[in-house]
Amino acid sequence: MVSGKRILYYSTLSVLFLYFLFAGLIETKPFLAPFTVALVLALLVYPLSRKMEKGFFNRSWASVVNTIFIFLISLGFFALFSMQVKNLVDDWPKIKETMKPKIEKLKDFVFEHTPLSQKDLEESSKGGLSVPFLSTGSQPGKKAATFFSKAMSFFGNYLLTFIYIFFMLNYRQHFRKFLLRLFPDEDRKRLQKVILKSANVIQQYLIGKLILIGFLSVFYAIGLGLSGVSNFILVSVLAAVFSIIPYVGNVIGFGMAMIFGYLVSGNPGVLIGISLTFFIGQFVESYILQPYIVGDKVDLHPFITILVVVAGNLVWGLIGMILAIPLLAIVNVIFLNVQSLKPFGYLLSKEEKTG
C-alpha cells in the first residue's frame, strides 16, 4: 500500500512538473528562443573564434567578426528566400491556370464517389464568405497592424540573437568560471569534462549537418532543375535545410518539391524526376555521407528523437523542431556523466553508456 502511494505521489509530481515545464517554455518563448538559437550558433563558430584569437585577433574582435559572419550568412539566406518567393508570386497566374482543370476533375471525382454535391460546395463557399473578417470594414487596418507588430517582433528577436552571440563568445570564460564556482572543488573537474563534451558534440553535429545541407542543396537543385521544377533553387535550399529535422524534415521537403513541381507544370512526369532526386539524395546522405561526416556524435534513440521533435514543435514551432536534437544531445551528455542520472542517459541513447 505504501509502495502504491509512493508511485502515485511521484507520478503526480512528474506530471505536474512536465505540465509546468512545457507551459513555462511556451510562455517564455520570446526570451528563450533567441537565447537558445544564439547559444547553438555560438557553439558552432566557437572553434573558428578560438583559432582567430590565437592569431592576430583579440577575443573581442574575433567575437565581432564571427558574429558578423553568421549575420551575413543569414542575410544571404533571406535574400535567396525573398527572390524565390517573388518568382512564385509572379508564377501564381500560371499556377492557377494549370490547376484549374485538375481541380474540376477532382470535384467531379468527389461528387461521383462521395455523398457531397455541388450545392454543398456552394453553401460551404457562401459560409466562408460570411466570416467576420471579410464583413468588417476595419479589418484590413487590424491586419496591417498585426502584421507590422509581428514583423517588428521578429526583426527585434533576429537582431537580439546576434547580440547574444557576441556576448557569449566574448565572455565565455566568465560564464564557464561561474558554472564551475557553483560546485565544490571535487566536482569541478567532472563538470568541466561535461561542458567540453557538450560543446564538442554540438559542434561536430552542427558542422556535419551543415556539410550535408550544402551537399543536398546542390544535388536537389541539379535534380529538380533537370526535372522541370519551377523555383527549384528555393525548393532545394528549403528541402535541404528541413533535413536538419530528423525524419520529419525529409518528408516535408519531399512533399514541398512534389507540390511545387506539379502545381506549375501540371505534368505527372515531373513527379518521377522529383522522386528519383530525393530517393538518390537521401540514400547517399543517409548511407554514404552521414556515417563519415556526422557518425554517432549524437547517439540518441530514434523513438526518443521523434518524441522530442514533436514536443519541440508543440512548444516553439519550427525553431523548436530544429533545436530539439542539439539540446537533447547536451542533456544526454549531462545524464551520462552524472551517476544518479545515468539511467536516463541509457534511456535516451541507442546503446548503454558507461561514460
Side-chain angles (χ1 to χ4, degrees), residues 111-303:
F111 295 152
E112 184 179 347
H113 295 87
T114 68
L116 293 176
S117 65
Q118 181 69 34
K119 184 179 179 182
D120 296 327
L121 185 63
E122 290 173 358
E123 289 179 356
S124 176
S125 300
K126 289 178 182 178
L129 291 173
S130 63
V131 293
F133 70 81
L134 288 176
S135 57
T136 305
S138 62
Q139 193 63 27
K142 291 182 181 179
K143 282 185 177 181
T146 302
F147 174 79
F148 181 75
S149 175
K150 289 184 177 180
M152 292 299 293
S153 176
F154 170 79
F155 284 110
N157 289 331
Y158 175 70
L159 295 176
L160 193 59
T161 300
F162 297 100
I163 296 174
Y164 288 156
I165 293 173
F166 167 75
F167 282 109
M168 287 178 184
L169 290 173
N170 195 39
Y171 297 105
R172 62 180 183 270
Q173 291 298 332
H174 182 76
F175 299 137
R176 186 181 67 84
K177 289 176 182 177
F178 162 74
L179 289 174
L180 292 174
R181 291 186 181 189
L182 290 176
F183 294 85
D185 293 340
E186 59 271 17
D187 293 333
R188 288 180 182 175
K189 188 174 181 181
R190 177 173 285 271
L191 176 62
Q192 193 156 1
K193 177 184 174 184
V194 171
I195 294 173
L196 290 174
K197 268 190 174 182
S198 301
N200 288 334
V201 164
I202 298 304
Q203 289 159 16
Q204 293 172 10
Y205 172 74
L206 290 176
I207 291 172
K209 277 295 183 181
L210 285 177
I211 295 172
L212 292 177
I213 287 173
F215 162 77
L216 289 176
S217 298
V218 175
F219 185 84
Y220 287 162
I222 295 172
L224 297 181
L226 293 175
S227 301
V229 176
S230 181
N231 302 302
F232 64 92
I233 296 178
L234 171 64
V235 177
S236 301
V237 173
L238 289 180
V241 171
F242 276 126
S243 69
I244 200 171
I245 305 172
Y247 309 108
V248 180
N250 293 326
V251 176
I252 295 174
F254 177 70
M256 186 171 55
M258 296 285 276
I259 291 171
F260 272 90
Y262 189 66
L263 280 180
V264 178
S265 68
N267 181 10
V270 173
L271 303 183
I272 299 175
I274 295 172
S275 301
L276 285 174
T277 299
F278 273 80
F279 175 78
I280 297 172
Q282 286 303 310
F283 179 83
V284 173
E285 183 219 0
S286 300
Y287 296 99
I288 299 177
L289 296 179
Q290 185 157 296
Y292 293 99
I293 296 175
V294 178
D296 292 328
K297 301 296 185 292
V298 182
D299 187 21
L300 299 173
H301 197 281
F303 180 62

Side-chain angles (χ1 to χ4, degrees), residues 14 67 80 87 93 95 99 120 129 137 195 197 218 235 352:
S14 299
T67 302
L80 174 66
N87 292 337
I95 292 174
M99 291 306 297
D120 296 327
L129 291 173
I195 294 173
K197 268 190 174 182
V218 175
V235 177
E352 184 173 4

